[in-house]
Amino acid sequence: NAGVTQTPKFQVLKTGQSMTLQCAQDMNHEYMSWYRQDPGMGLRLIHYSVGAGITDQGEVPNGYNVSRSTTEDFPLRLLSAAPSQTSVYFCASSLYLGLAGKNEQFFGPGTRLTVL
Amino acid sequence: SQQGEEDPQALSIQEGENATMNCSYKTSINNLQWYRQNSGRGLVHLILIRSNEREKHSGRLRVTLDTSKKSSSLLITASRAADTASYFCATELIQGAQKLVFGQGTRLTINP
């Protein structure tokens, strides 16, 4: 298994540009999520999905869109990039146990994004 | 402030010593998880402790959870240089549908 893969690894954008960060997993996990990590900080949840066709907002969703058309893929779209979106972005997946929770999340290697 | 806050923010010890990191949180949880992040890498899951558990072991790791104090600690015994990393606690909220809320992390350095 490849686990959770993310592309690209690095990206530089100009303010106002749009782009899509790709995330894929081959573990048949229902739950997928996107986080951003700023220097010296923990991870903050952007959006998450509990299955194909179902997405919801996390702590910092503004400026980002997601969709989940398949179990495997969960792309993150930046609509109009801003310097405040300079960060490292991590995708994660896990089995979904509903409110019972109790599952570890598997993380991708991250995408380092710089917005000029 | 964040749900999970960790203490200390940085810890530097000699190889072979034990390292203890603490995490405090504010609201009721399903479980608390600890993750490790090596520099420039993604996070790796270390251990999960459920809200009805008080202590859990995994190899050289020992995690405790005190729900009355809303706090947890991670103990790494007999530290090694390879343990150098950032360690994050993450709480899964009861109403959170498996959303994890991360602390800011403890940067651990093991000196040879």
Side-chain angles (χ1 to χ4, degrees):
Chain A
N1 286 349
V4 180
T5 58
Q6 292 183 238
T7 56
K9 290 185 178 180
F10 301 93
Q11 183 69 51
V12 178
L13 294 178
K14 294 181 180 178
T15 297
Q17 288 184 316
S18 63
M19 79 159 294
T20 299
L21 307 185
Q22 301 293 343
C23 174
Q25 52 90 12
D26 61 359
M27 297 173 282
N28 204 30
H29 285 166
E30 301 96 334
Y31 184 90
M32 296 185 74
S33 53
W34 277 101
Y35 297 87
R36 60 176 288 172
Q37 183 179 33
D38 299 303
M41 301 280 288
L43 277 68
R44 291 184 292 169
L45 182 65
I46 304 172
H47 285 284
Y48 68 98
S49 168
V50 300
I54 306 170
T55 63
D56 205 346
Q57 296 181 350
E59 181 185 357
V60 288
N62 292 341
Y64 307 94
N65 268 1
V66 292
S67 60
R68 184 96 179 270
S69 56
T70 67
T71 299
E72 294 78 19
D73 300 298
F74 190 42
L76 177 72
R77 281 182 290 276
L78 279 70
L79 309 173
S80 178
S84 61
Q85 293 178 304
T86 293
S87 189
V88 182
Y89 291 84
F90 290 99
C91 179
S93 75
S94 70
L95 293 173
Y96 178 58
L97 300 176
L99 293 180
K102 300 192 287 290
N103 244 54
E104 66 175 284
Q105 294 201 16
F106 294 82
F107 282 82
T111 293
R112 189 173 298 272
L113 175 68
T114 301
V115 183
L116 303 175
Chain B
S1 61
Q2 295 195 50
Q3 158 79 340
E5 295 190 358
E6 293 172 72
D7 171 59
Q9 291 188 353
L11 179 62
S12 180
I13 61 174
Q14 295 300 120
E15 195 167 17
E17 293 181 338
N18 295 341
T20 299
M21 290 159 270
N22 302 296
C23 171
S24 60
Y25 59 93
K26 293 182 170 60
T27 60
S28 298
I29 61 173
N30 271 334
N31 64 69
L32 186 145
Q33 304 178 29
W34 285 90
Y35 288 80
R36 184 187 73 227
Q37 183 180 35
N38 290 91
S39 183
R41 302 289 189 92
L43 279 71
V44 175
H45 181 265
L46 294 176
I47 196 165
L48 179 154
I49 186 165
R50 302 177 185 184
S51 60
N52 62 353
E53 297 176 316
R54 292 298 167 258
E55 187 171 313
K56 205 161 183 181
H57 296 256
S58 177
R60 293 183 297 112
L61 305 180
R62 172 178 169 255
V63 170
T64 61
L65 179 64
D66 187 335
T67 53
S68 67
K69 295 182 179 179
K70 292 187 169 59
S71 67
S72 173
S73 67
L74 171 67
L75 169 67
I76 303 174
T77 60
S79 63
R80 305 167 182 169
D83 294 328
T84 293
S86 291
Y87 292 81
F88 295 90
C89 70
T91 51
E92 185 180 295
L93 306 182
I94 287 180
Q95 299 300 324
Q98 219 163 314
K99 291 189 290 185
L100 289 181
V101 180
F102 283 83
Q104 294 181 328
T106 293
R107 175 68 189 168
L108 175 65
T109 302
I110 308 299
N111 301 303

